[in-house]
Amino acid sequence: MYLEYTINYCTNNTYESLVKSAFWQFLIQPETNETQELIAVEFKNSLNIPHEFSINGYGFNSIRVTPKKAFKEIHFYASFTLKKKEIALDLIESKLTIEREMNILNSLYFKVDFESFLKTTSYTQLQNNDRNLYLFDWSLSVLKNLQNLNSWVFNYIKFKANTTTVNSTLDEVITIKHGVCQDFTHLFCAIARLNKIPARYVSGYLHQGNGYFGDSQMHAWAETYVPSKGWVGFDPTNNLFTNSNHIKVCHGKDYKDCAPLKGVVFALGKNKTSHTVQVLSQQQ
Amino acid sequence: MTNIENKIFSSYQKDAALYDEIFDSEGQVKEVYQKLFSLYGEHSIEDYVNLNSKAKASFFNQGITFQVYGDKETKEKIFPFDLFPRIIDPVEWDIIEKGSIQRSKALNLFLWDIYHDKNIIKDGIVPMELISSSDNYLDQMKGLDPPEGIYNHISGIDIIKHNDGKYYVLEDNIRCPSGVSYVICNRTALKRALFGVFNHYQTYSVTNYAENLLDLLETVKPHGVDIPNTVVLTPGMYNSAFYEHSYLAKTMGVELVEGRDLFVENDFVYMKTIKGPEKVDIIYRRVDDQFIDPLEFNADSVLGVPGLFSAYKKGNVTLANAPGTGVADDKAIYTYMPEIIKYYLKEEPILNNVHTYHCSRPDELKYVLDHVHELVIKPVDEAGGYGILIGNKLSKKEIELAKEQLKANPRKYVAQPIMSLSVHPTYIDETEEFEQRHVDLRIFTVLGKDKEFVLKGGLTRVALQKGNLIVNSSQGGGSKDTWVLKSI
Amino acid sequence: MLARVANNLFWMGRYIERSEHIARYLNVNYFSSLDAPNQKSQSRQFVLKSMMFMVGDPEKDEENILKENEILFKIGLDHETPYSIINNIKYARENANSARDLISTELYEALNKFYHYIVNYSPENFVKSGLHDFTTHVMETTDIIRGKIRGTLLHDPVYAIIMLGINVERATQIIRIINAKYNDALNSQGGYTDKFSKSFEWTTLLKCAESYDMMRRLYKKTPTSVTTLEFLILNPNCPRSIMNCLNEVYTLIKVLDNTTKYNKKSTAFLVGKVRSEFQYKYIEDIEGNFQKFIEKILDDLSQISLKMEKEFFNY
């Protein structure tokens, strides 16, 4: 049983003055993994500049565009078709004892192997007095604790668009207690990592047919490494395990590693960028 | 034998506490320097005044200068050059050369390991925090195999001679070590000024650096390239080392490019020539990691090439040195060098390391706080001699201030016993006399595929201020021609 | 060769050449005005205005009295005026800096020494008594530098590009000088004796182009408007003539582009076309319609420069 999705991604960039030189790198193409398979990709832009498919520094698929002539306005349009498996998460409590799980989390090998997703970054930095914001209950399993954390984050922050920006730190989020998927995910990752559980930031698309939170842009959620199960996805914005509505593009330490659009644009004056994302499903 | 009545040394003051490179503890001239000493004695001090000003003018006219930025205008300065060469005998050189190769190889294996399986950390030799907390550890380099497994193609290892007469390594520079052009310019300048002295010594030439560098770089060409196209990437002519970049490009016979001369298409790198795009295979880059690719690192960089890192990751271009080498020349890693050498090479270190106290360890921090006056305190991540505190030069108030700094941010500092750098007779402008000045030595080592090269010579840097131990050019240091003898 | 570096070398050539022409213009005009045969040509204001006209910054207010010190400083050693000699030399050296790996040490050293000499030249001294010394030094040193270019570089595309810069600039400067002196000749027309065609300014013009002696040798008569213009514009054997520069440019561009295909978009094609037009011109056609001619040739030269930029220096 699988679902077929079509994802339409559009972005419009307008500049006050003529842009002589620019480079863009898109990180918007869904990856192919055990639960999803990319079938078709279409990419266009309003200036008909040729594009290249490549990889970024972390090995995820990127699309690069470099215009050769000056412009003031450019639109990009991408469409991806993919198959997604229905995911039935195995929620049976692990056979590992809590003690055994703890031993694994504390072992040097484990810490070294998961070093990237255990360290604090500028986006996942908690101030000292916020470090006790949420405490784990170590009489419970890692998975149960993460599930509780997921609910806690969901309740702690209210979803509200345009209260935070892509540069907001956790400080600001904790102060205003409002935010978007990115802020939910950073807070979730920060607390998981404080508790020595590897957590990575995931960027992707959410099929919103079921009334989930998110806006008409890209979505973010987290994956944590549970010793008994491997990587498990949590969507703290919606208080869910990730499921067949979550279409993954890439992961990293935080938003910075996953920014959907990176541009180096040599232009004076102001610019405007807008994105829209549409996820359509067709049950097969 | 020794002509101690030497005119030009009649007023040379010898501080008994210091290790003098040319006079032994009895005040006698050491064997290797004897001929030179008497040859120099044939000249009067007026000759040196004259030669010195000629040498200066020659550097200035050749444009071998670096820029000093002031409020109103930028000034051009020459890197002061001293007329009295330093001599290293073949026995000592053998140790230095072998030791430098050993260190460079160990650093290279260390870099491979920490960007792959991290066995040295899993085996508990080097703490994880040193790596994961370092800004110079690049996650993008994880699992990436640089061509032929070489990371630190070019290393500049700074060594000194302590008053026990032994060489110690002070620092490993494996990002973009500079200074090699001065080694060659100093030789040229000394030859012009005092050609006669060269007839009396069998000295190794230093002019073969560029050809060896190119040869070795070509051994690490990307897979599938037949005759590689090499370039030198410079931040541009306003960079303080621009002379060196242009010198290296010229002597290697390759193009000197800036970021804006290069572009990436379908993950291959090209340069824009008058005949259209030309593919580039090997980039000897003198641009720091953070600036090489704005799409991957510092987005504001205009020095880099968008897409360069992807081309590198795909194996289509060689970068020398590899990105992310900076993690291994961190001062905190330095202190683990003896263990690193033993771990990878199963050998004893040939060159000594200075004992280091880690302020991040509570017991060692305590020792440091109690002994600030007899230690050198260094920030772990500053280059160019900035932020270094020398304990015995600090006032009571400054010591207290230093202690506060250490307590506030212990991870940021390491401390070492104050090493007494050896001294060497150096011509001093103000007094028009030869005086003792502290010197160090930078050794240039190049690693290629199954091959290595050490430049037989090196940059002897001189602290021109009396008693000063910091020899960096940005801190007012000069340099000397350095002779490695083929035989005594 | 990198396109950016080629561009820099081209401009290095242009700036070296430009500084020489400005220096000579100052020198010749100033010193020949001192004993000029008519009052107008002797007038200090006349000379200073002519200098400003030549560097492309003409004084618009005819009543305005220019101060000699200020004008000399402005054109000679002022860092603030883009056309000053000191800035031209500074730009030349900066351009050379970025191409140090391609040019000879000897050439670089000569240019570098020149730069330091000029930068350290005292402005007070210059405006008071150093005009001759300073401008002579500039003229002589640019000659030395051109000698180093010819004598120490491989005669390959690097050389061709520098020489292209020199020749394009030479043609441009000669035209500007002709224009300035033509203007002076018009303005200095006085009574019946000071007829335009026999103006004293033609002699000065030839001296500004270092071509007086050879012109006398060839024509054996006092220079007139027709003979002077013919010599400086159309005579292919006069090394400073526009014709000669165009011939040089044509030969040099062939080093960069040696195809024989018909390609009307190439720089070589344009250079060839302009050159051929010149080769068969009558001086009378030019004299009758001088302003139009000046505009046309300046436009042709800048088109050549633009085309080169597009074809070779695009980075």
Side-chain angles (χ1 to χ4, degrees), chain A residues 216-227:
Chain A
S216 55
Q217 296 198 0
M218 288 187 76
H219 191 51
W221 60 90
E223 285 176 349
T224 54
Y225 195 87
V226 179

Side-chain angles (χ1 to χ4, degrees), chain C residues 252-276:
Chain C
L252 292 161
I253 202 85
K254 283 289 178 196
V255 177
L256 300 184
D257 174 8
N258 53 11
T259 57
T260 46
K261 261 189 290 176
Y262 177 81
N263 178 5
K264 62 181 180 182
K265 285 182 178 159
S266 74
T267 316
F269 185 90
L270 178 64
V271 174
K273 184 165 177 288
V274 173
R275 184 186 75 134
S276 309

